[in-house]
Every structure is written in structure tokens, then in C-alpha cells.
Amino acid sequence: MVELVMLGSGSKGNSTLIRTERSAILIDAGLSARQLSLRLESVGQNPRSIEAILLTHNHADHICGLRVFNKRNPMLLFANEATLHAASHMLGNQVAAETFKNSRPFTAGDFRVTGFPVPHDAADPVGFILEAEGIRIGYTTDLGHMSRTVERRLAGCAVIVLESNHDRTMLWEGPYPQVTKQRIDSPRGHLSNDHAAGALSRIMGPETVHLVLAHLSQTNNQRRLARSVAENALQQAGSNNIRVSVAMQSRPIDPVRC
Ligand SMILES: [Zn+2]
Ligand SMILES: [Zn+2]
């Protein structure tokens, strides 16, 4: 069995646990080390047993807890070279790191992992495909639009984690400064509910059983709104059997098992 637990996700910090019965890895460590440990323990995972962590990109909401967490619970870090370089000032020199090349599979714990480029304003941001026990998981947050590459990679995964960052009306009518609104809404910013929903019919296949909406803005989105936009799109595409979860910033959501 493969289990995915969104430990916390949103503009204020992101980390996800993915485990089999023998092995556990993290994607990103954008929560404080203390929060990471507490949330792992709350879902029955000893922080010391994490074998590896994969980094999507160098923004603080994905790496800010890594240095301290890794000092307490040493593990292997996987990142591409540009991300590792850009994040080095926040990681210190205690972290054991291995670089991967985008689109070249590597092994982390029980998982065969492939990083692929996503359009976002960071050094060399990636999404991941993770495979174990015949299950394929597609994971991508922090992307300004759905590129062909992203659609092709996510297509037909059993579990798809996809950003559903904001409602565009809430963003543009909301309190953020103009320059921040423009950044978020740009092709290298963050994916809106509508843009995520618009891609669903192209990425959901007969193998797909679960969709997880992630990286929601607490200012410019609501969980029930993101869910209803995605569920409507799935219904229109005839994909009524796909379960939808919506990640939370403040605590882990129920594990996705398959
Ligand atoms: Zn980012
Ligand atoms: Zn982010």
C-alpha cells in the first residue's frame, strides 16, 4: 500500500509525506521543524525514520524548516542543481544532498522518482512523478499555467496532487498589492481554481482514483470553492468516481491510500 499525507499546504508552508510499509519520504519542508515533527507523529510517522526529502524549488514556503529538521533527523536530500544552489544559504552545510537531472528517474526510499519542469518563478522548479508497488503519483504545486510537459506527466496517474491556489476574482478584488496580484496571476505564478479545473479532463485517466487540491491561498480562496470548481469539472468530464481532497494549511488531512 502507498499512502500520501498532505502534512500542510498553502502559501505559508508545504510538506507532504509519502510512504509504503517499509519506507517514508517527504516532499518539501516548508513548515517549522517543530511543526513537521508534530504533524509526522500525529500521523504515526517517526520523524527519525524519514529516509529522504525531495525539493520542488527554493521558495521559503517549501524549504524553511529543512535545515533544523534535518539536523535533528538526518536524511538524504534530493534536488536539482539550480534549486540546491539557490537554496544553499538556507540549508547550511550539514545537509547530505544528491542532485538529480530533470526527467531522469532516480530512487528515493522505495520510490522511483522523476522530476519534471514546471512554469514558476523560482530557480528550476519541478513537479514529481513517484512510483512504487505499481502505483503512480503525480505531484505539482507552484505553477503559473498547465504546460504540455506538466499535462503529459500527470496524465493517468492514480493519485494527482495539483495546485488550486486562488479564485481569480478574489485575488483581483482582494487586499494584495497590485504587483503581487500580477505575479500570482502570471504564467510563472500560481494556478487558479479555474485553470486547474480546466486541465482536469486532459489529465484524468481511467487509472485516476484520487485528486488532491493543494497550495490554496488563505486570502484568495476557500476550500469549498476550490472543491466545487474541481468537482464540477470532473462531473462534466464524466469522471464521477474520482475522490477529491483539499489540503489544509493548519493541519494534515486524511491520508490518501492506494
Ligand atoms: Zn513557489
Ligand atoms: Zn509555494
Side-chain angles (χ1 to χ4, degrees):
M1 187 178 65
V2 178
E3 206 173 71
L4 176 141
V5 190
M6 304 297 292
L7 297 170
S9 182
S11 309
K12 294 188 178 137
N14 295 272
S15 187
T16 299
L17 167 69
I18 305 181
R19 60 188 171 189
T20 64
E21 269 144 39
R22 293 173 304 278
S23 157
I25 64 173
L26 290 179
I27 299 178
D28 291 336
L31 304 168
S32 71
R34 182 180 145 74
Q35 274 301 316
L36 271 173
S37 293
L38 286 172
R39 294 185 193 197
L40 284 167
E41 278 158 8
S42 78
V43 298
Q45 187 70 46
N46 182 345
R48 288 190 175 276
S49 64
I50 302 290
E51 282 180 57
I53 177 159
L54 318 176
L55 289 193
T56 58
H57 65 300
N58 58 299
H59 285 162
D61 59 320
H62 298 260
I63 61 171
C64 67
L66 182 58
R67 190 173 58 82
V68 176
F69 185 73
N70 189 271
K71 205 170 168 186
R72 292 175 191 163
N73 313 286
M75 70 192 79
L76 193 55
L77 165 70
F78 290 93
N80 64 28
E81 210 166 306
T83 295
L84 199 58
H85 181 72
S88 57
H89 66 288
M90 290 182 77
L91 301 183
N93 50 12
Q94 303 292 326
V95 179
E98 272 194 27
T99 55
F100 63 80
K101 289 205 180 336
N102 293 352
S103 306
R104 293 243 188 104
F106 58 95
T107 301
D110 271 357
F111 294 88
R112 183 178 191 263
V113 182
T114 311
F116 58 90
V118 299
H120 187 57
D121 54 359
D124 187 4
V126 295
F128 291 111
I129 299 295
L130 303 104
E131 294 165 281
E133 300 181 9
I135 305 291
R136 193 148 56 101
I137 296 172
Y139 187 100
T140 181
T141 64
D142 299 69
L143 67 168
H145 67 281
M146 289 293 284
S147 66
R148 285 262 176 91
T149 302
V150 174
E151 285 190 4
R152 209 174 54 236
R153 292 287 184 176
L154 295 183
C157 286
V159 178
I160 295 176
V161 178
L162 181 63
E163 172 164 52
S164 194
N165 178 260
H166 59 275
D167 172 80
R168 289 188 75 211
T169 306
M170 286 178 75
L171 172 70
W172 283 102
E173 290 178 357
Y176 282 7
Q178 193 72 0
V179 63
T180 309
K181 292 177 181 176
Q182 279 166 350
R183 187 213 146 223
I184 292 170
D185 200 25
S186 81
R188 282 162 54 84
H190 288 278
L191 206 61
S192 70
N193 294 344
D194 286 340
H195 285 139
L200 292 180
S201 64
R202 296 191 293 279
I203 59 177
M204 297 290 153
E207 313 87 346
T208 312
V209 291
H210 209 123
L211 170 70
V212 182
L213 302 176
H215 212 296
L216 272 71
S217 165
Q218 288 183 301
T219 307
N220 304 311
N221 210 349
Q222 290 171 348
R223 291 178 76 234
R224 61 183 163 79
L225 178 60
R227 173 187 287 279
S228 78
V229 172
E231 284 180 343
N232 284 343
L234 289 174
Q235 209 162 39
Q236 276 175 19
S239 307
N240 297 322
N241 297 326
I242 295 172
R243 289 190 60 195
V244 179
S245 299
V246 187
M248 295 179 79
Q249 184 71 82
S250 57
R251 62 179 173 82
I253 58 167
D254 288 344
V256 175
R257 295 191 178 97
C258 54

